[in-house]
Amino acid sequence: KDEGLTPDVVTFNALLNACERARQWQEALETLRRMRSCQLVPDIVSFGSAMAGCELCARWDLALALLSEASEMSLQLSLVACSTAVSACAQGRRWRWAMRLFEAARPLGLDVTIFCAALSGCGRAGCWEMSLQLLDEMCGLRMEPDKVTCAAAVAA
C-alpha cells in the first residue's frame, strides 16, 4: 500500500490462503478484520480459507461462526465452504453438527469430499450405522468412494 498499490479482495484471499496453509488461524481472522478496515467485503473464498485454517487447528467453533457470518452477509455458500465446516466439526468430534451441516449442503449437490468429511465425523463418534447409510447413499448417487472415504467409514 505504501507504493501506491491498493490491495483488493484477491490480494487478501491470497494472504488468507497462506494463513490457511501455515495453520495460522489467528492471523486469518485478523486478515478478515483488515479487509473490512480497508472497506473491502470478504467473499465466500475469503471465508472458506479462514474456515480451513480454523479446521486444520481443530477450531470447529470458529469455522462455524465464520460460516454463519458468511450466510448472514447473504453470500452464496459453496460446497467447499460447507465441506470445510463439516470437516472442522468432525475433527472437533462434533458429529451431530457435522451431520446437520451435511444435510444443509444437500441443495448444493453433494460430492465425495463432503461425504468423506461426514464419514470422518461418524467414525470419530463410533456411529457405524450412520457411516453405512452414508456409504449406501454414495453408491445410490453413483459416487465412487476413494481410499480416504473408505478409511473414514472403516474407522466407524
Side-chain angles (χ1 to χ4, degrees):
K1 199 168 182 178
D2 295 337
E3 302 288 325
L5 300 174
T6 304
D8 60 7
V9 173
V10 174
T11 307
F12 276 101
N13 284 350
L15 179 56
L16 284 162
N17 187 266
C19 292
E20 169 194 342
R21 292 177 188 269
R23 298 175 183 246
Q24 296 294 316
W25 62 269
Q26 297 101 329
E27 187 61 33
L29 297 179
E30 178 60 23
T31 299
L32 283 175
R33 189 199 61 73
R34 280 192 299 241
M35 279 182 84
R36 292 182 183 103
S37 72
C38 290
Q39 311 306 332
L40 295 172
V41 178
D43 60 14
I44 196 61
V45 174
S46 311
F47 281 102
S49 290
M51 287 169 50
C54 293
E55 170 208 355
L56 293 171
C57 296
R59 291 305 310 262
W60 64 272
D61 55 331
L62 294 176
L64 285 183
L66 290 167
L67 185 68
S68 177
E69 185 177 345
S71 181
E72 288 170 8
M73 291 176 59
S74 298
L75 294 177
Q76 184 171 355
L77 298 180
S78 69
L79 188 57
V80 171
C82 290
S83 294
T84 300
V86 170
S87 182
C89 289
Q91 288 191 29
R93 302 192 186 284
R94 299 294 191 258
W95 73 273
R96 285 188 174 92
W97 273 105
M99 292 311 300
R100 283 187 202 124
L101 291 167
F102 177 86
E103 291 301 325
R106 282 187 184 281
L108 300 173
L110 303 175
D111 66 4
V112 172
T113 303
I114 198 163
F115 270 101
C116 183
L119 283 163
S120 176
C122 291
R124 289 172 191 257
C127 298
W128 60 271
E129 298 97 342
M130 181 67 71
S131 292
L132 290 177
Q133 288 176 359
L134 289 170
L135 282 174
D136 187 50
E137 183 176 353
M138 282 184 78
C139 291
L141 294 171
R142 303 213 188 284
M143 287 185 197
E144 186 72 29
D146 58 15
K147 291 177 187 175
V148 176
T149 307
C150 290
V154 169

